[in-house]
Amino acid sequence: MSTLPDTITRAVALLRTLGAADIAHPGGTLLAHLERVQGQLAAWGARPALQLAGLCHACYGTDGFPAALLPLDRRAELAAVIGPEAENLVYLYASCDRGATYPGLAGPDAVLHDRFTGGQVAPEPARWRDFAELSAANELDIARIDPDFRERWGPDLLALFTRLRPQLSPAAREACRTVLDPGASRPWTVAVLGPGGVGGLLAALLSRAGHRVICLAGETTADDLRRDGIRVRSAQFGEFTAHVEADTELREPVDLCLVTVKHTHLAAALERVPPAMTANGVVVPLLNGIEHPAELRRRFGAQCVAAGVVRVESTRVAPGSVEHGSPFTDIDLAGPPDRLAALADVLGSAGVKTRVSEDEPAVLWAKFAFLAPFALLTTRYELTIGEVRTERREELTALVEEAAAVARACGAPADPARTLAQYDAFPAEAKSSMQRDAEAGRPLELDAIGGALLRSAARHGVPVPLATRLVGELT
């Protein structure tokens, strides 16, 4: 039986085949919008069928975005990928004649006017709730990203979702209030410790979304950022320049501190952030490895730190200049959903697909079990991932299995076959960040990656002979 991640992967592949990645849409491309809608529904706790409907909701076009990816006589193709329940929800959403349907939505005799057939349907209450939740996720994504859309349609959407409040989940209700009601929320103050490839991109996106951003760096970099801002060239978000503040030390309380330095510079960088400045906020480390959350909790307090991982390909090509090559920017946060809902909404409002899970080992190891073999093998043999998976396939398989065994011993799920499939789908020319550091003569995150894997293995009595040899040869 297919898992939700596997079905999402197949659905995204179908959307790419249908051209969704080539259609412009607020915030980048239609595909990027669809993925953010699915991510928003996931963050609200939607069941898999509704998430899949959110991912594919524009396949037949909508009353607000008529460009269809599939004609209605090919509905069976979509159902074969995402399942009949999700496909029926896609049709329900696509078929809505909004002008005729919206005015009566909250009434006891509400019906949906089908713009394809000209008929009317009265969905069951559960289907109305799905329709309302999907509508909110879709409209809020555009409202967050497009200020002109929010200014023009925000009051009407707020009125609509206020009428639909009984059909919305609590998280969706709160998101509608904070995004669409100008008096409901205030911009956050965000510190970014390490405005490099990842940190610089996130700083720019948060600033563009209206939040106050303070970048923490050395004096020269801070001067550059204060003067020129952060310039972004992105496959996902386009080209833009964002104004940020910059300093060498955090001198005021913040709502959020993103820690995006390399692990080799972590100890020194943390001196720029006095714990008192984050006492009433949240600290989110987005570093490679699995051991750093404990170090940050010792400094800032367990209640202030939420572990996270980021999936993105972004490089600082010069101070204040970032090239974002991947068509995605995803963050997974670990912690209580009610505590992290506001943070997920802030990141989502900036265009970052954000998921929240209470299972911290699963969040951290989902990335680490992929990263560790990638980093160790590409760096040790000075090969791209494409060359590793052909010339060093046996070692790749063995190392993935070792990492998976350690992950399971640490209480995290692991699927070596799926990890290998991810490597096989990766661009052949890709290099790990540790490999690029080695080529540039920079310090390696060997201890944070290889060392952490060996320590976890030793703690649980898991033999990892190949990882041990590779770490030794790289030391």
Side-chain angles (χ1 to χ4, degrees), residues 92 95 100-101 109-115 117-123 128:
L92 181 74
S95 69
T101 301
D109 301 317
V111 294
L112 184 143
H113 295 260
D114 190 320
R115 68 189 181 95
T117 67
Q120 299 178 10
V121 294
W128 271 131

Side-chain angles (χ1 to χ4, degrees), residues 310-364:
V310 61
R311 293 176 178 83
V312 67
E313 179 66 29
S314 186
T315 304
R316 188 189 86 153
V317 295
S321 183
V322 172
E323 291 191 358
H324 172 213
S326 61
F328 54 83
T329 308
D330 298 354
I331 287 179
D332 290 342
L333 300 171
D338 56 344
R339 175 181 165 228
L340 297 176
L343 170 57
D345 192 59
V346 164
L347 293 169
S349 72
V352 180
K353 183 178 178 181
T354 306
R355 294 172 290 261
V356 178
S357 170
E358 294 186 86
D359 191 340
E360 183 170 313
V363 168
L364 294 175

